[in-house]
Structures are given as structure tokens and as C-alpha cells.
Amino acid sequence: MFLKGGFNMVAKPSPLYSTLSIALMDFIKTKGKAHEKMLSEREITKVYNVSRTTVRTALKELETLGFIYKRHGKGTFISNQWKERQNLLEGYSFTEQMKELGKVPTTKITSLDCYEADEFIAPLIGIEAGDKLFRLKRIRYADGIPLMKETTFLPYDVFKGLTKTLLEGHSLYDVFASKFNQQIHYADEEFSASILSAEEAEALDVDPHGACLRFRRTTLNHENRIIEYTISVARSDQFFYKVRHYRTNQ
């Protein structure tokens, strides 16, 4: 059921387990069938010529990302939950979401600066305190109404040469891919209800202390390096976050 033969893992700069997990993800996406039994650790070790430790780490990552699931006493099976996870991540495009609602999205870049990371922000993007980073601030609009205020932190060594000119009129992730060869592997996002500060309320043109939604998004590339950390605040009277959940028979 699975492809035979190994692959060149030495040529990849990413960690061994990450390279293996990406190869297994690609196969599941193209040839795997939901609820079909997954290769055993021993079979993966033999096919890909890697250690059992590497296989276990890769499988743990696949399980976290919804590509496989385990049944006690029966083994490991292919899951289709990764499709819903992927749809959710792709669905968090502000531009695409607004277009689906029939609105015209625009973005205003209020600042882009470079400075040395402090002890608080450094670990959030996987760098050391004192290392340089970019801080990008934007206001997102729909039909001319400000809906969301975003602050994005980017590691300087990954995005050297980044300018406002490069970003104007373009999706941030499109710039990642086209200008810096950075492809997104996955992103983790948290959101919660909160109250707007006076500064946030002014930026979003609403009364202070109004209700809002807060988002924190950490994006990783295929080397499992953090390439983006974004903090967003959205008006709750104009913005909603829609998620569809499916229950699978597992």
C-alpha cells in the first residue's frame, strides 16, 4: 500500500525526524486512505533507513497534526483530520475571508522597524535576547472599516531585506514564499475574548473598553523554525471567527 524505497535525507537541511514526517505527510496526502492502517515503526525504519527514535518522533508529529491516530490494542491508522486543520489554517486569510463575505479587504501598514529582541519576545520567535527582529504593524480593513489591528514579529536573519515596499499590496505569506523562499509547514493559533485598550479602540475607531477577540499565531516553516509570531485584536461587533468541526469514527 505504501511506496517502496528510501529517500535522500542527508541532502535536507532540516532535522531528520522533520524530513521523515514531511515525506510521510506527502504520501498520506497523495496516496493514503482515511482509516487505513499505517505502516508500523519497523516498516518505516526499513523503508526510509532511519532509526526507531526518529520514526517515533516523526509519528508523534503526524499524530499532533491530525495525519494519523492510534487505537488501543489495534495499532496506528491514517486520519483525515489533517484536511480540516489545513482548511482552518488556510481559512485564516483575512483577505479571503472578507472576499467570501462580499467585502473589499485592504491593509494599511502603520510601521515596519528593526530592533533587538528583549527577553520576553525572543523565545516566542525562537531567537536569543539581543538578536535582531522585524516588527510589522498593520490595520486590516473591510469596505473601509477598520476591523483588526496586527503586530507581527519576524526573525531578521530569515527576512533580511524586508521593506514596506515589498509588503505594500501583497499578502504577507506570498512575500514569504516569493521573496524569501519560506514555505509554511503549519501554524498554531490561540484566540480569546477580551476588552479593547484605549490605543486599540482608537486604531479601530470604536469606543474604549469595547469587546474584542484576541489572536496569537505562531507559524513554522518546513525546518520547524518559527518564522512569524503575530498578535491580533479584532472588533467583535464586525469580525467573527468561524470554525467547522467534524467528528470522525475512530
Side-chain angles (χ1 to χ4, degrees):
M1 100 178 162
F2 284 81
L3 75 169
K4 298 180 179 179
F7 56 92
N8 184 2
M9 303 187 72
V10 178
K12 296 283 186 179
S14 53
L16 205 58
Y17 78 86
S18 182
T19 304
L20 176 60
S21 66
I22 291 170
L24 294 174
M25 287 177 199
D26 288 342
F27 180 78
I28 290 173
K29 288 179 179 179
T30 57
K31 298 182 179 180
K33 295 181 180 179
H35 313 305
E36 188 176 55
K37 196 162 186 179
M38 183 66 172
L39 280 172
S40 68
E41 290 183 6
R42 180 179 297 179
E43 289 172 318
I44 296 174
T45 299
K46 182 178 180 180
V47 169
Y48 293 100
N49 192 28
V50 292
S51 70
R52 187 67 68 89
T53 299
T54 298
V55 171
R56 288 173 180 169
T57 305
L59 290 177
K60 184 177 180 180
E61 184 174 62
L62 262 64
E63 184 176 10
T64 299
L65 295 176
F67 283 85
I68 59 175
Y69 64 92
K70 294 180 179 179
R71 276 186 171 177
H72 183 68
K74 293 186 178 181
T76 302
F77 299 83
I78 293 174
S79 173
N80 60 4
Q81 288 184 358
W82 64 271
K83 295 180 180 179
E84 298 310 317
R85 181 184 178 100
Q86 185 180 49
N87 288 340
L88 175 59
L89 295 177
E90 291 175 350
Y92 184 77
S93 164
F94 178 87
T95 298
E96 294 304 319
Q97 186 179 47
M98 292 304 108
K99 286 180 178 178
E100 288 179 3
L101 294 174
K103 300 179 182 292
V104 178
T106 54
T107 298
K108 178 183 177 181
I109 298 175
T110 57
S111 69
L112 175 65
D113 57 345
C114 180
Y115 71 102
E116 293 183 355
D118 58 29
E119 294 182 355
F120 170 74
I121 197 64
L124 296 177
I125 57 173
I127 63 176
E128 299 292 332
D131 290 349
K132 291 200 295 185
L133 56 76
F134 285 107
R135 178 175 55 193
L136 170 67
K137 294 185 178 181
R138 302 184 295 173
I139 304 294
R140 316 299 296 273
Y141 297 80
D143 290 345
I145 300 173
L147 297 192
M148 180 181 290
K149 181 177 183 289
E150 292 184 338
T151 302
T152 298
F153 300 91
L154 307 168
Y156 178 83
D157 64 317
V158 175
F159 297 104
K160 287 181 182 178
L162 182 67
T163 64
K164 287 179 68 174
T165 302
L166 285 177
L167 294 171
E168 293 285 1
H170 299 285
S171 161
L172 184 62
Y173 293 159
D174 286 346
V175 173
F176 283 2
S178 64
K179 301 298 182 182
F180 299 96
N181 195 32
Q182 291 296 317
Q183 305 294 331
I184 296 173
H185 186 194
Y186 67 91
D188 289 321
E189 187 170 89
E190 301 174 359
F191 57 98
S192 61
S194 185
I195 301 296
L196 290 165
S197 68
E199 179 186 0
E200 292 167 342
E202 182 179 2
L204 297 176
D205 194 26
V206 294
D207 294 332
H209 311 304
C212 67
L213 294 174
R214 294 190 183 277
F215 303 84
R216 294 179 181 270
R217 182 178 177 91
T218 303
T219 305
L220 286 78
N221 64 11
H222 280 286
E223 283 70 51
N224 282 345
R225 175 171 182 180
I226 298 172
I227 57 172
E228 175 209 5
Y229 179 73
T230 293
I231 302 171
S232 305
V233 57
R235 291 172 51 166
S236 62
D237 64 330
Q238 293 285 337
F239 186 90
F240 67 93
Y241 196 81
K242 182 179 180 180
V243 180
R244 175 175 294 174
H245 297 279
Y246 286 92
R247 180 173 180 175
T248 57
N249 296 321
Q250 297 183 6

